[in-house]
Amino acid sequence: MSSQPISFADLSDEQLVAEVKRLAGSERRATAVLIRALMELDARRLYLGEGYSSMFTYCTQALHLAEGAAYNRIETARTARRFPMILDGLEEGSLTLTTVRLLAPHLTVENHESVLASARYKRKQDIEQIVASLNPKPAVPTMIRKLPIPPQREAKTNADLASSAAEQLPAAEESVLPPPRAIIAPLAPERFKVQLTISRDTRETLDRVQALARHAIPNGDLATIFDRGLTLLLNELERRVCAVTPSPRGAREASERSRHIPAAVKRGVWRRDGGRCAFLGRDGRCSERSFLEYHHVLPYAAGGGATTANIELRCRAHNAHEAALFFGNEAPP
């Protein structure tokens, strides 16, 4: 008989955070135990006696795991049979099923300890970098090709709807399939493959750039154009967002009556905080580097000035979070 479920709404903030961490730890331990059991079941090939032709069929049909979940667990179980230290990593949370699946084809008796140690607590893109270092791939050829026009999704309209009425539907309702997601994949430690879909206008712009840049880039190499274009965009963004300039003017005092943050203050804050949210939580500093904003530690409405000592970087979420903590439901003036 199952125990009475916890009413999470009755927990305090601290109790709820502690309970979520406890449950996450329980899930990791349960996953590690399941992997141990699957290792033994696979070794004995018990799925055959149960009426299934493979471990994959057994996991998806008997255990009702999703196909991706089944594949991850089977690959992890078979790899952990060769390298048992994986089980400890799964249980403590330093390794994930996805991490093990990606690394599995490249683990050997000689390298598994160092590779698994380097993969501890790493993100998927970091694991892909490790895989690229273990199995470098050659550079991909430069290629531009036209993609077929995606078919429009069939509109669910009444069969008796007149065609004239259908023509009056707003263009926004004529939805099409979204373009494929851009891909950035490591080929080797220092080389990456970039794949994306561009519009006709962007293609025409690219042709013009190649033509105009022939004196500097005779072969019209797209990788070089891409690098130079990104460098120009980065310089512009750093100038606008971080107030970076090769010839900064002298520091100007901020007015106590103005919200304006002087460029010298922005530069100093960006350097000091390393272009990263500086919010400190119970588990450490926030790692976000996107959607950064300049945050008044003592809010402007409470008399805080736009000084380097009073301004810190915050991601948008933590900036709003601290405003809510300070002002409650009242919006600052």
Side-chain angles (χ1 to χ4, degrees):
M1 184 175 180
S2 62
S3 60
Q4 187 70 20
I6 299 174
S7 176
F8 296 111
D10 296 334
L11 300 180
S12 67
D13 292 352
E14 292 77 10
Q15 289 173 329
L16 181 57
V17 169
E19 183 63 13
V20 167
K21 290 182 177 180
R22 185 190 70 79
L23 291 172
S26 298
E27 182 181 37
R28 289 195 298 269
R29 288 189 291 274
T31 298
V33 171
L34 175 60
I35 295 300
R36 291 178 188 272
L38 290 177
M39 289 166 56
E40 188 62 24
L41 187 144
D42 187 29
R44 299 186 192 183
R45 305 185 68 175
L46 297 182
Y47 53 85
L48 294 173
E50 295 295 307
Y52 300 94
S53 62
S54 67
M55 270 292 288
F56 183 79
T57 305
Y58 177 78
C59 287
T60 54
Q61 295 184 12
L63 303 184
H64 305 295
L65 295 175
E67 292 183 357
Y71 182 73
N72 272 356
R73 283 156 180 77
I74 294 170
E75 187 71 19
T76 299
R78 290 174 175 171
T79 307
R81 190 189 307 162
R82 296 165 52 211
F83 311 114
M85 64 181 296
I86 287 174
L87 296 169
D88 294 333
L90 291 174
E91 187 166 346
E92 69 180 9
S94 62
L95 298 176
T96 67
L97 297 173
T98 300
T99 293
V100 177
R101 173 177 59 80
L102 292 173
L103 292 176
H106 312 286
L107 295 177
T108 65
V109 174
E110 292 76 19
N111 74 6
H112 74 279
E113 290 187 359
S114 60
V115 171
L116 291 173
S118 68
R120 289 168 55 85
Y121 299 107
K122 291 296 192 340
R123 301 172 299 170
K124 182 180 178 181
Q125 66 186 64
D126 297 323
I127 301 303
E128 291 173 341
Q129 279 280 87
I130 295 174
V131 170
S133 67
L134 294 172
N135 183 34
K137 296 180 179 178
V140 296
T142 299
M143 176 175 57
I144 299 179
R145 65 185 181 92
K146 185 177 181 180
L147 297 176
I149 299 175
Q152 293 186 345
R153 291 173 178 165
E154 296 181 3
K156 295 181 179 179
T157 58
N158 190 294
D160 297 327
L161 186 64
S163 59
S164 59
E167 292 175 357
Q168 296 176 3
L169 289 174
E173 294 184 12
E174 299 178 1
S175 59
V176 297
L177 295 175
R181 187 167 58 97
I183 296 174
I184 301 180
L187 300 174
E190 302 298 328
R191 291 184 288 110
F192 295 80
K193 177 183 75 173
V194 177
Q195 179 178 313
L196 71 163
T197 301
I198 61 176
S199 67
R200 178 184 295 274
D201 289 342
T202 304
R203 172 61 197 273
E204 292 175 354
T205 300
L206 178 58
D207 289 342
R208 293 175 61 192
V209 169
Q210 280 185 302
L212 291 171
R214 287 292 181 180
H215 293 292
I217 311 173
N219 63 354
D221 180 54
L222 292 183
T224 304
I225 291 173
F226 183 73
D227 178 70
R228 293 194 182 185
L230 280 182
T231 300
L232 290 173
L233 177 59
L234 177 62
N235 291 339
E236 170 61 21
L237 290 173
E238 287 184 335
R239 182 193 64 79
R240 182 160 52 87
V241 177
C242 320
V244 172
T245 175
S247 304
R249 298 178 181 177
R252 183 166 58 89
E253 291 294 330
S255 171
E256 295 182 359
R257 300 180 180 179
S258 174
R259 291 179 181 269
H260 173 72
I261 302 175
V265 172
K266 288 184 176 181
R267 286 193 293 272
V269 169
W270 195 273
R271 284 195 301 269
R272 183 197 64 210
D273 294 347
R276 173 184 161 194
C277 177
F279 180 84
L280 287 174
R282 293 187 183 90
D283 287 344
R285 181 178 172 182
C286 175
S287 61
E288 186 59 62
R289 294 182 180 273
S290 301
F291 297 105
L292 296 179
E293 299 171 349
Y294 290 95
H295 164 77
H296 287 70
V297 177
L298 178 64
Y300 170 80
T307 63
T308 304
N310 192 53
I311 300 294
E312 292 183 352
L313 290 179
R314 292 288 187 275
C315 63
R316 184 173 297 171
H318 276 130
N319 201 5
H321 171 68
E322 292 202 271
L325 289 178
F326 191 91
F327 294 104
N329 294 326
E330 299 179 4

